[in-house]
Each structure stands twice: as C-alpha cells, then as structure tokens.
Amino acid sequence: MSIVVTGATGHLGRHVVEQLLEKVPADQVTAVVRTPEKASDFAERGVKIAVADYNAPETFDGLLASGDKVLLISGSEVGSDRIGQHKVVIDAAKAAGVALLAYTSAPGSLTAALADDHRGTEKALLESGLPYALLRNGWYHENYTENLAPVLQYNAVTHAAGEGRVSSASRADYAAAAVAVLTGEGHENQTYELGGDVAWSLAEYAAELSRQTGKEIADNRFSADALVGILAGAGLPEPFAVILAGVDASIEKGELVVDSGDLSRLAGRPTTPLAEAIAAGLKA
C-alpha cells in the first residue's frame, strides 16, 4: 500500500508530503511530479518519486496499484482542460482499484467560474464508482499574503468583494486535513467543506495590514467590471482578470464563508489566524 500524491512539488503538495512524513514511513509515500529534480529533497528522504503528467495519460499507466490511497491535487493551469486532466488520474485509479481517491475541490457554495472545473471533476469522480473523498478547500491565506507587493506599493487593498467575508486558512491547514483523510479510516464517500475558523472582510484585512506595517492601507472597493479593467491594465491576461473578479463577486455574496468546522476538526487543531499569515508574508 502506498499513499500517492499528485502535484507533489506544488505549493499545496509540498505541505502534504512534508506532513505525511511525520505520520508514515517515507517508503509508503509516492510523490507524482513532472520534474523529478524538484523532488530531489523528497527522494533523499526515501520518498518514492514517479514522473507523470496530467497531459500525458500514458505516463499514469501502471503508476497506481490496488489498495493505494491517492490525493489528486487539482491542476493549476486555469483555462486548460482541467476536467480532462483530472479524468486521466481518475481513470488510472479505477483501472488499478485504489482504496480511496481524495480530490482537492472548491466549496460547494462557490458559483464563480473558477468552480466549474471542480464541479465537473467531482461529477466524473462520482460516476467512476471509486471510493472518494471530496476535500472542498476554501480560499488560501496565501492567495493574499503572497501577493503583497502591489498592496504595499499603492498602500491599498483593491477588490470588488464589498463587505463580503472569507473563511480562508493556510495551505498547511488544508494539507493537514488531506493527511488526516489519507492516513485515517472511515473517509470513503465523504464530502468535507473546508474553511478557516474565522471569516474576515477585505476591510479587516486592510486594517490588519495597516496595523502590522504602520502604514495607512486603504480599502479600495470597485465593481467587478471596474476591477477587471484595473487588473488587465496592470498586466494580467483579461480572462484571468475576469476569473479573479468573479471570485470577488462570490465573496460579496457570501459564497466563500465556510462554517462547517470540518477543517479544524480534521486537522485536529484551530486553523492559522490571518494575522499570522500576514506577518509571514511581510517577512518573505
């Protein structure tokens, strides 16, 4: 039996593998990567490395084995055929007869275009008949705290989320939930709505940034259409700008408030406070 993690050298995947190594022997972990050099540190610690690509179905032939538990981390290439990419892994898992396929999805309440690929993947997974676990990850702190440069340059948080709130958490928090599912029992055919313990608004985010930096960080609110123009003007591809503005519109409607308590319950601890993530982002 092996625990297999796809996208293992990505932002979330690295956290998952690191936390798995605290729970199980390294030779029970298989890291699926596109570039093996990026996983050399894992290999040195005894993790099995498998080279495969969502865009090359043949690379998954024979990679999975009966009894494996698999974490399918969603592809990051927004705008590509992500459902098709994910089905490559689902088909390989079904052929192998894996014990569980866990998928990092999006909150069930999210209607933004960003969620469409997740809903399509969930449908394919349920139709496959595989034992599944849907890890419906909410927003990451790092979506904000790793992109502080423009905020600090202009002393403003620019958004179209109005007074909407976000139940975000750190990648490490979501990884802890995934590890609990991969190493625990009784998670077959379960859906977990995952979000941080405390929901916050962009105005509160700006206020916390002001407190930690000693600067006056403004809370600049725009319409979704205006935000698309601002982001595109700053150099973002317009289709991606539309997706980001769509997420803000969803935040305004309350679609990224996740109050199930599933995340802290699975992780076995409270989720990381936003203020802590901001402090780490400012140090980076």
Side-chain angles (χ1 to χ4, degrees):
M1 190 274 287
S2 181
I3 295 174
V4 182
V5 180
T6 73
T9 55
H11 290 304
L12 179 61
R14 278 201 161 274
H15 281 289
V16 172
V17 174
E18 289 287 355
Q19 292 186 40
L20 278 173
L21 292 176
E22 297 172 6
K23 296 280 188 75
V24 300
D27 62 3
Q28 290 184 17
V29 180
T30 297
V32 181
V33 300
R34 287 189 295 188
T35 309
E37 292 77 16
K38 292 182 179 179
S40 59
D41 56 324
F42 290 152
E44 289 169 2
R45 294 158 69 184
V47 174
K48 297 175 183 175
I49 307 300
V51 180
D53 190 327
Y54 296 152
N55 294 311
E58 68 280 1
T59 60
F60 279 90
D61 291 347
L63 192 154
L64 305 177
S66 177
D68 282 349
K69 290 185 176 180
V70 181
L71 177 63
L72 169 55
I73 294 180
S74 59
S76 58
E77 298 169 0
V78 177
S80 62
D81 179 19
R82 290 205 295 172
I83 298 173
Q85 291 175 336
H86 299 157
K87 284 183 72 174
V88 167
V89 182
I90 293 169
D91 291 345
K94 184 172 183 178
V98 304
L100 179 74
L101 194 152
Y103 171 65
T104 61
S105 190
S109 54
L110 185 64
T111 64
L114 190 69
D116 292 348
D117 290 346
H118 293 299
R119 297 289 94 84
T121 300
E122 288 185 4
K123 182 173 183 288
L125 180 52
L126 268 61
E127 288 176 349
S128 75
L130 282 166
Y132 67 87
L134 298 181
L135 305 176
R136 288 179 167 170
N137 289 356
W139 219 225
Y140 299 149
H141 288 332
E142 291 90 344
N143 290 344
Y144 296 99
T145 62
E146 287 184 353
N147 297 287
L148 288 173
V151 174
L152 299 178
Q153 180 181 352
Y154 297 106
N155 292 326
V157 173
T158 301
H159 65 93
E163 296 181 5
R165 305 182 79 77
V166 184
S167 303
S168 67
S170 71
R171 290 194 187 106
D173 294 333
Y174 292 108
V179 168
V181 167
L182 293 168
T183 59
E185 300 297 332
H187 299 290
E188 293 83 2
N189 305 330
Q190 298 296 313
T191 298
Y192 298 107
E193 298 287 349
L194 304 175
D197 295 335
V198 178
W200 49 272
S201 68
L202 273 294
E204 290 168 335
Y205 173 60
E208 180 60 24
L209 275 170
S210 298
R211 188 186 71 79
Q212 291 199 29
T213 62
K215 299 179 178 181
E216 185 59 42
I217 307 295
D219 170 33
N220 282 0
R221 305 180 186 186
F222 293 88
S223 68
D225 287 344
L227 184 62
V228 170
I230 291 168
L231 295 174
L236 275 186
E238 187 164 334
F240 189 50
V242 169
I243 288 173
L244 292 181
V247 170
D248 273 14
S250 287
I251 291 171
E252 186 172 29
K253 291 185 283 187
E255 294 179 2
L256 277 173
V257 173
V258 180
D259 56 9
S260 66
D262 285 350
L263 181 51
S264 54
R265 190 160 47 246
L266 284 171
R269 57 170 174 75
T271 59
T272 305
L274 177 65
E276 189 176 310
I278 289 173
L282 289 171
K283 287 179 184 173

PDB file of all heavy atoms in Angstrom, residues 13-33:
ATOM      1  N   GLY A  13       1.018  20.565  -2.500  1.00  0.00           N
ATOM      2  CA  GLY A  13       1.588  19.216  -2.481  1.00  0.00           C
ATOM      3  C   GLY A  13       2.782  19.075  -1.563  1.00  0.00           C
ATOM      4  O   GLY A  13       2.926  18.071  -0.852  1.00  0.00           O
ATOM      5  N   ARG A  14       3.644  20.081  -1.538  1.00  0.00           N
ATOM      6  CA  ARG A  14       4.820  20.021  -0.662  1.00  0.00           C
ATOM      7  C   ARG A  14       4.403  19.939   0.809  1.00  0.00           C
ATOM      8  O   ARG A  14       4.975  19.175   1.587  1.00  0.00           O
ATOM      9  CB  ARG A  14       5.722  21.237  -0.875  1.00  0.00           C
ATOM     10  CG  ARG A  14       6.646  21.081  -2.072  1.00  0.00           C
ATOM     11  CD  ARG A  14       7.856  21.989  -2.009  1.00  0.00           C
ATOM     12  NE  ARG A  14       8.889  21.484  -2.902  1.00  0.00           N
ATOM     13  CZ  ARG A  14       9.785  20.578  -2.572  1.00  0.00           C
ATOM     14  NH1 ARG A  14       9.793  20.071  -1.347  1.00  0.00           N
ATOM     15  NH2 ARG A  14      10.676  20.154  -3.432  1.00  0.00           N
ATOM     16  N   HIS A  15       3.420  20.727   1.176  1.00  0.00           N
ATOM     17  CA  HIS A  15       2.933  20.676   2.558  1.00  0.00           C
ATOM     18  C   HIS A  15       2.382  19.282   2.880  1.00  0.00           C
ATOM     19  O   HIS A  15       2.611  18.750   3.975  1.00  0.00           O
ATOM     20  CB  HIS A  15       1.833  21.712   2.779  1.00  0.00           C
ATOM     21  CG  HIS A  15       2.327  23.111   2.972  1.00  0.00           C
ATOM     22  ND1 HIS A  15       2.992  23.517   4.111  1.00  0.00           N
ATOM     23  CD2 HIS A  15       2.237  24.205   2.182  1.00  0.00           C
ATOM     24  CE1 HIS A  15       3.298  24.799   4.019  1.00  0.00           C
ATOM     25  NE2 HIS A  15       2.852  25.250   2.861  1.00  0.00           N
ATOM     26  N   VAL A  16       1.636  18.699   1.935  1.00  0.00           N
ATOM     27  CA  VAL A  16       1.048  17.381   2.165  1.00  0.00           C
ATOM     28  C   VAL A  16       2.145  16.335   2.375  1.00  0.00           C
ATOM     29  O   VAL A  16       2.096  15.559   3.342  1.00  0.00           O
ATOM     30  CB  VAL A  16       0.133  16.975   0.992  1.00  0.00           C
ATOM     31  CG1 VAL A  16      -0.319  15.515   1.146  1.00  0.00           C
ATOM     32  CG2 VAL A  16      -1.080  17.890   0.907  1.00  0.00           C
ATOM     33  N   VAL A  17       3.134  16.304   1.492  1.00  0.00           N
ATOM     34  CA  VAL A  17       4.205  15.302   1.617  1.00  0.00           C
ATOM     35  C   VAL A  17       4.976  15.494   2.917  1.00  0.00           C
ATOM     36  O   VAL A  17       5.258  14.528   3.642  1.00  0.00           O
ATOM     37  CB  VAL A  17       5.146  15.351   0.395  1.00  0.00           C
ATOM     38  CG1 VAL A  17       6.341  14.413   0.600  1.00  0.00           C
ATOM     39  CG2 VAL A  17       4.396  14.973  -0.879  1.00  0.00           C
ATOM     40  N   GLU A  18       5.308  16.739   3.238  1.00  0.00           N
ATOM     41  CA  GLU A  18       6.040  17.005   4.484  1.00  0.00           C
ATOM     42  C   GLU A  18       5.259  16.493   5.692  1.00  0.00           C
ATOM     43  O   GLU A  18       5.830  15.879   6.609  1.00  0.00           O
ATOM     44  CB  GLU A  18       6.303  18.514   4.635  1.00  0.00           C
ATOM     45  CG  GLU A  18       7.327  19.076   3.664  1.00  0.00           C
ATOM     46  CD  GLU A  18       8.759  18.672   4.008  1.00  0.00           C
ATOM     47  OE1 GLU A  18       8.981  18.031   5.055  1.00  0.00           O
ATOM     48  OE2 GLU A  18       9.658  18.994   3.210  1.00  0.00           O
ATOM     49  N   GLN A  19       3.961  16.732   5.709  1.00  0.00           N
ATOM     50  CA  GLN A  19       3.163  16.298   6.856  1.00  0.00           C
ATOM     51  C   GLN A  19       2.935  14.790   6.858  1.00  0.00           C
ATOM     52  O   GLN A  19       2.839  14.166   7.931  1.00  0.00           O
ATOM     53  CB  GLN A  19       1.839  17.065   6.889  1.00  0.00           C
ATOM     54  CG  GLN A  19       2.017  18.547   7.189  1.00  0.00           C
ATOM     55  CD  GLN A  19       0.711  19.286   7.373  1.00  0.00           C
ATOM     56  OE1 GLN A  19      -0.232  18.771   7.984  1.00  0.00           O
ATOM     57  NE2 GLN A  19       0.625  20.492   6.840  1.00  0.00           N
ATOM     58  N   LEU A  20       2.867  14.172   5.673  1.00  0.00           N
ATOM     59  CA  LEU A  20       2.768  12.709   5.608  1.00  0.00           C
ATOM     60  C   LEU A  20       3.999  12.060   6.235  1.00  0.00           C
ATOM     61  O   LEU A  20       3.895  11.035   6.927  1.00  0.00           O
ATOM     62  CB  LEU A  20       2.621  12.239   4.160  1.00  0.00           C
ATOM     63  CG  LEU A  20       1.225  12.295   3.551  1.00  0.00           C
ATOM     64  CD1 LEU A  20       1.290  11.965   2.062  1.00  0.00           C
ATOM     65  CD2 LEU A  20       0.278  11.313   4.256  1.00  0.00           C
ATOM     66  N   LEU A  21       5.165  12.660   5.988  1.00  0.00           N
ATOM     67  CA  LEU A  21       6.408  12.083   6.506  1.00  0.00           C
ATOM     68  C   LEU A  21       6.471  12.125   8.027  1.00  0.00           C
ATOM     69  O   LEU A  21       7.295  11.430   8.632  1.00  0.00           O
ATOM     70  CB  LEU A  21       7.620  12.809   5.897  1.00  0.00           C
ATOM     71  CG  LEU A  21       7.812  12.583   4.390  1.00  0.00           C
ATOM     72  CD1 LEU A  21       8.969  13.418   3.856  1.00  0.00           C
ATOM     73  CD2 LEU A  21       8.036  11.097   4.090  1.00  0.00           C
ATOM     74  N   GLU A  22       5.620  12.920   8.643  1.00  0.00           N
ATOM     75  CA  GLU A  22       5.536  12.939  10.104  1.00  0.00           C
ATOM     76  C   GLU A  22       4.638  11.815  10.627  1.00  0.00           C
ATOM     77  O   GLU A  22       4.651  11.517  11.832  1.00  0.00           O
ATOM     78  CB  GLU A  22       4.977  14.287  10.581  1.00  0.00           C
ATOM     79  CG  GLU A  22       5.852  15.483  10.229  1.00  0.00           C
ATOM     80  CD  GLU A  22       5.178  16.806  10.556  1.00  0.00           C
ATOM     81  OE1 GLU A  22       4.074  16.785  11.160  1.00  0.00           O
ATOM     82  OE2 GLU A  22       5.749  17.864  10.211  1.00  0.00           O
ATOM     83  N   LYS A  23       3.881  11.180   9.709  1.00  0.00           N
ATOM     84  CA  LYS A  23       2.890  10.184  10.125  1.00  0.00           C
ATOM     85  C   LYS A  23       3.206   8.759   9.661  1.00  0.00           C
ATOM     86  O   LYS A  23       2.833   7.797  10.342  1.00  0.00           O
ATOM     87  CB  LYS A  23       1.506  10.560   9.558  1.00  0.00           C
ATOM     88  CG  LYS A  23       0.926  11.877  10.080  1.00  0.00           C
ATOM     89  CD  LYS A  23       0.319  11.676  11.455  1.00  0.00           C
ATOM     90  CE  LYS A  23      -0.435  12.918  11.932  1.00  0.00           C
ATOM     91  NZ  LYS A  23      -1.727  13.102  11.265  1.00  0.00           N
ATOM     92  N   VAL A  24       3.837   8.620   8.495  1.00  0.00           N
ATOM     93  CA  VAL A  24       4.063   7.284   7.925  1.00  0.00           C
ATOM     94  C   VAL A  24       5.503   7.175   7.425  1.00  0.00           C
ATOM     95  O   VAL A  24       6.150   8.193   7.142  1.00  0.00           O
ATOM     96  CB  VAL A  24       3.090   6.993   6.762  1.00  0.00           C
ATOM     97  CG1 VAL A  24       1.648   7.051   7.229  1.00  0.00           C
ATOM     98  CG2 VAL A  24       3.307   7.953   5.601  1.00  0.00           C
ATOM     99  N   PRO A  25       6.039   5.953   7.290  1.00  0.00           N
ATOM    100  CA  PRO A  25       7.389   5.776   6.736  1.00  0.00           C
ATOM    101  C   PRO A  25       7.476   6.339   5.320  1.00  0.00           C
ATOM    102  O   PRO A  25       6.516   6.261   4.544  1.00  0.00           O
ATOM    103  CB  PRO A  25       7.580   4.255   6.745  1.00  0.00           C
ATOM    104  CG  PRO A  25       6.610   3.743   7.770  1.00  0.00           C
ATOM    105  CD  PRO A  25       5.436   4.662   7.700  1.00  0.00           C
ATOM    106  N   ALA A  26       8.637   6.890   4.983  1.00  0.00           N
ATOM    107  CA  ALA A  26       8.819   7.540   3.680  1.00  0.00           C
ATOM    108  C   ALA A  26       8.566   6.596   2.519  1.00  0.00           C
ATOM    109  O   ALA A  26       8.058   7.013   1.468  1.00  0.00           O
ATOM    110  CB  ALA A  26      10.229   8.122   3.585  1.00  0.00           C
ATOM    111  N   ASP A  27       8.887   5.296   2.695  1.00  0.00           N
ATOM    112  CA  ASP A  27       8.722   4.377   1.569  1.00  0.00           C
ATOM    113  C   ASP A  27       7.268   4.031   1.298  1.00  0.00           C
ATOM    114  O   ASP A  27       6.957   3.311   0.350  1.00  0.00           O
ATOM    115  CB  ASP A  27       9.559   3.105   1.758  1.00  0.00           C
ATOM    116  CG  ASP A  27       9.147   2.298   2.984  1.00  0.00           C
ATOM    117  OD1 ASP A  27       8.176   2.678   3.664  1.00  0.00           O
ATOM    118  OD2 ASP A  27       9.804   1.275   3.260  1.00  0.00           O
ATOM    119  N   GLN A  28       6.355   4.544   2.131  1.00  0.00           N
ATOM    120  CA  GLN A  28       4.924   4.370   1.868  1.00  0.00           C
ATOM    121  C   GLN A  28       4.331   5.564   1.115  1.00  0.00           C
ATOM    122  O   GLN A  28       3.137   5.584   0.832  1.00  0.00           O
ATOM    123  CB  GLN A  28       4.161   4.163   3.182  1.00  0.00           C
ATOM    124  CG  GLN A  28       4.428   2.833   3.848  1.00  0.00           C
ATOM    125  CD  GLN A  28       3.572   2.630   5.093  1.00  0.00           C
ATOM    126  OE1 GLN A  28       2.577   3.317   5.305  1.00  0.00           O
ATOM    127  NE2 GLN A  28       3.975   1.684   5.926  1.00  0.00           N
ATOM    128  N   VAL A  29       5.163   6.556   0.809  1.00  0.00           N
ATOM    129  CA  VAL A  29       4.702   7.770   0.129  1.00  0.00           C
ATOM    130  C   VAL A  29       5.272   7.820  -1.282  1.00  0.00           C
ATOM    131  O   VAL A  29       6.485   7.656  -1.474  1.00  0.00           O
ATOM    132  CB  VAL A  29       5.123   9.035   0.903  1.00  0.00           C
ATOM    133  CG1 VAL A  29       4.645  10.292   0.178  1.00  0.00           C
ATOM    134  CG2 VAL A  29       4.595   9.007   2.329  1.00  0.00           C
ATOM    135  N   THR A  30       4.401   8.027  -2.260  1.00  0.00           N
ATOM    136  CA  THR A  30       4.829   8.219  -3.643  1.00  0.00           C
ATOM    137  C   THR A  30       4.464   9.634  -4.073  1.00  0.00           C
ATOM    138  O   THR A  30       3.293  10.031  -4.005  1.00  0.00           O
ATOM    139  CB  THR A  30       4.154   7.212  -4.593  1.00  0.00           C
ATOM    140  OG1 THR A  30       4.547   5.887  -4.227  1.00  0.00           O
ATOM    141  CG2 THR A  30       4.571   7.472  -6.042  1.00  0.00           C
ATOM    142  N   ALA A  31       5.468  10.390  -4.489  1.00  0.00           N
ATOM    143  CA  ALA A  31       5.258  11.763  -4.957  1.00  0.00           C
ATOM    144  C   ALA A  31       5.230  11.750  -6.482  1.00  0.00           C
ATOM    145  O   ALA A  31       6.220  11.369  -7.118  1.00  0.00           O
ATOM    146  CB  ALA A  31       6.375  12.666  -4.457  1.00  0.00           C
ATOM    147  N   VAL A  32       4.111  12.150  -7.059  1.00  0.00           N
ATOM    148  CA  VAL A  32       3.980  12.216  -8.517  1.00  0.00           C
ATOM    149  C   VAL A  32       4.335  13.625  -8.965  1.00  0.00           C
ATOM    150  O   VAL A  32       3.726  14.602  -8.516  1.00  0.00           O
ATOM    151  CB  VAL A  32       2.552  11.858  -8.968  1.00  0.00           C
ATOM    152  CG1 VAL A  32       2.443  11.903 -10.490  1.00  0.00           C
ATOM    153  CG2 VAL A  32       2.161  10.483  -8.449  1.00  0.00           C
ATOM    154  N   VAL A  33       5.325  13.721  -9.842  1.00  0.00           N
ATOM    155  CA  VAL A  33       5.841  15.026 -10.261  1.00  0.00           C
ATOM    156  C   VAL A  33       6.068  15.034 -11.762  1.00  0.00           C
ATOM    157  O   VAL A  33       6.202  13.990 -12.389  1.00  0.00           O
ATOM    158  CB  VAL A  33       7.168  15.354  -9.533  1.00  0.00           C
ATOM    159  CG1 VAL A  33       6.958  15.381  -8.022  1.00  0.00           C
ATOM    160  CG2 VAL A  33       8.262  14.356  -9.893  1.00  0.00           C
TER     161      VAL A  33
END
